[in-house]
Amino acid sequence: MKQLILVFLPLFGLLFCSQQVSAKPVNTIVRGKVHNASTQSVSLYKVENGETVKLGFRWPEKDGSFSFDIPLENESIFFIAKGGGKGGELKYVLYLKPGNISQLNLYSSKTSLDYDSCEMDKEDEETVLLQQWNDLFIPLCNAGRILKKRDNFI
């Protein structure tokens, strides 16, 4: 009996590990509503190898609703932004796990370059921490862009 267990245990481990490595994408949904929607689209970015990659954009419906369906294999970091924005910074971060369904409320004024705020129903701990880090990091980056004050940070 011991020999049988010793034979099947490594095979079971190999089978389990191979299932983890070749995980199939699971549909993950990001949907929401843009309040005070204007003619701007909603863009979704994914972080891949430390760089943001635009996955696409959606035009909000007349009621402001939008939806992204993403085939996701692993937990990943995403950003949501107003389409066509020229701000250069991605302010709103999402940490998504395969199979998640995330509901967002985006608030915008017609003249702003990006959304004024983003609320997520049922925020997970990772999203909260990443958003706090992002909120601290953006002002530092902006301060470095002001040439007259650059010496203060060097």
Side-chain angles (χ1 to χ4, degrees):
M1 183 69 174
K2 258 186 175 178
Q3 291 176 344
L4 191 59
I5 291 173
L6 291 175
V7 169
F8 283 107
L9 189 58
L11 289 174
F12 178 73
L14 183 61
L15 178 65
F16 178 76
C17 289
S18 68
Q19 291 295 343
Q20 295 299 319
V21 171
S22 63
K24 293 185 178 177
V26 177
N27 197 34
T28 304
I29 300 171
V30 176
R31 60 180 157 206
K33 184 172 183 177
V34 180
H35 300 272
N36 302 324
S38 61
T39 58
Q40 294 291 324
S41 62
V42 179
S43 296
L44 184 69
Y45 299 83
K46 182 179 181 185
V47 176
E48 293 181 358
N49 299 320
E51 298 287 330
T52 53
V53 177
K54 187 174 183 178
L55 295 182
F57 67 93
R58 300 288 184 270
W59 293 103
E61 300 293 328
K62 290 188 186 227
D63 65 351
S65 63
F66 66 91
S67 181
F68 291 93
D69 293 344
I70 311 155
L72 194 59
E73 293 179 12
N74 300 311
E75 299 174 3
S76 299
I77 298 172
F78 293 84
F79 287 92
I80 195 120
K82 190 184 259 190
K86 308 238 187 299
E89 55 193 41
L90 298 169
K91 295 191 322 190
Y92 302 109
V93 64
L94 307 169
Y95 186 83
L96 299 178
K97 299 173 185 173
N100 274 16
I101 299 175
S102 298
Q103 180 69 36
L104 305 176
N105 284 302
L106 301 169
Y107 297 90
S108 175
S109 64
K110 292 185 180 191
T111 59
S112 64
L113 294 176
D114 203 352
Y115 295 110
D116 299 324
S117 65
C118 174
E119 296 174 355
M120 183 176 180
D121 295 351
K122 301 178 186 173
E123 287 181 326
D124 54 10
E125 185 179 358
E126 294 91 349
T127 297
V128 171
L129 291 172
L130 283 168
Q131 188 62 55
Q132 288 172 350
W133 180 85
N134 203 37
D135 291 343
L136 291 171
F137 188 69
I138 287 175
L140 292 174
C141 290
N142 289 340
R145 291 184 186 129
I146 301 171
L147 295 178
K148 292 178 182 178
K149 295 186 177 182
R150 199 171 212 172
D151 292 336
N152 296 342
F153 299 98
I154 297 178

